[in-house]
Amino acid sequence: MIQRIQTIWLLLSSVTIFALFLFPYVQFFDSNGIAMALKVNGILSSSGGENQLSSSFGFILQAIATVILGVLPLFTIINYKNRKKQITIIIITIVLIILFGAWLFMSASNAVAEVNKTISIDNIGIGALLVPLYVVFQLLALKGINKDTKLIKS
């Protein structure tokens, strides 16, 4: 049930993080000229019009973490009657997404370093922009919850 604007922000943050399954966070060419794209569920290689997704244990963990980060805002919405709990969940979520962003950067750096390249603005994908957008939506939801708290106290 939509109570206030923070519900919209929390839904948008959930959709934003789930979009990491669709959009790569880093794109590059390997030494053979094969296009590679890093997604949270694996490395997508594209050669000769054929796409192949290869996944390792690290990417499986990233996919699980992405699902957890996508479900946390929905859990926050369900707890609309307990604003203190909502604030706590949002703060924990923001800390987790910052750690998740660092994890994505480290895995991207390692993958790109394997082909003797470095991460630059040229190979940053749309997925890399979704993590900061998630934080913005969480902060906007936090602002809405704080407004509700002030409204109730007055």
Side-chain angles (χ1 to χ4, degrees):
M1 181 170 154
I2 295 180
Q3 295 294 314
R4 305 283 290 165
I5 189 69
Q6 64 263 22
T7 303
I8 302 297
W9 297 128
L10 290 167
L11 284 173
L12 284 172
S13 66
S14 188
V15 169
T16 301
I17 201 71
F18 282 130
L20 279 175
F21 285 105
L22 300 174
F23 301 110
Y25 56 92
V26 173
Q27 302 169 0
F28 60 96
F29 290 97
D30 71 357
S31 56
N32 297 327
I34 297 173
M36 308 286 274
L38 289 180
K39 293 182 167 188
V40 292
N41 54 342
I43 299 175
L44 184 67
S45 58
S46 186
S47 63
E50 189 176 313
N51 294 334
Q52 180 180 357
L53 183 69
S54 60
S55 188
S56 66
F57 183 68
F59 287 113
I60 292 170
L61 290 177
Q62 280 183 1
I64 291 169
T66 304
V67 170
I68 291 169
L69 287 169
V71 170
L72 277 171
L74 301 176
F75 182 69
T76 306
I77 293 170
I78 293 170
N79 288 301
Y80 67 90
K81 290 183 180 181
N82 189 345
R83 282 176 299 287
K84 280 189 172 194
K85 189 173 185 179
Q86 279 186 319
I87 291 170
T88 304
I89 293 170
I90 288 176
I91 291 170
I92 290 170
T93 304
I94 291 172
V95 170
L96 289 175
I97 195 67
I98 290 169
L99 294 172
F100 182 69
W103 183 18
L104 292 180
F105 178 77
M106 289 187 320
S107 66
S109 295
N110 291 339
V112 173
E114 286 180 12
V115 294
N116 297 322
K117 297 193 179 200
T118 58
I119 295 179
S120 67
I121 195 73
D122 297 336
N123 51 7
I124 298 294
I126 293 172
L129 303 174
L130 296 176
V131 173
L133 190 60
Y134 180 89
V135 174
V136 169
F137 289 146
Q138 290 286 308
L139 290 172
L140 288 170
L142 187 61
K143 182 179 175 184
I145 293 168
N146 285 332
K147 267 187 181 178
D148 278 357
T149 304
K150 287 180 185 177
L151 182 67
I152 289 172
K153 284 183 181 179
S154 63

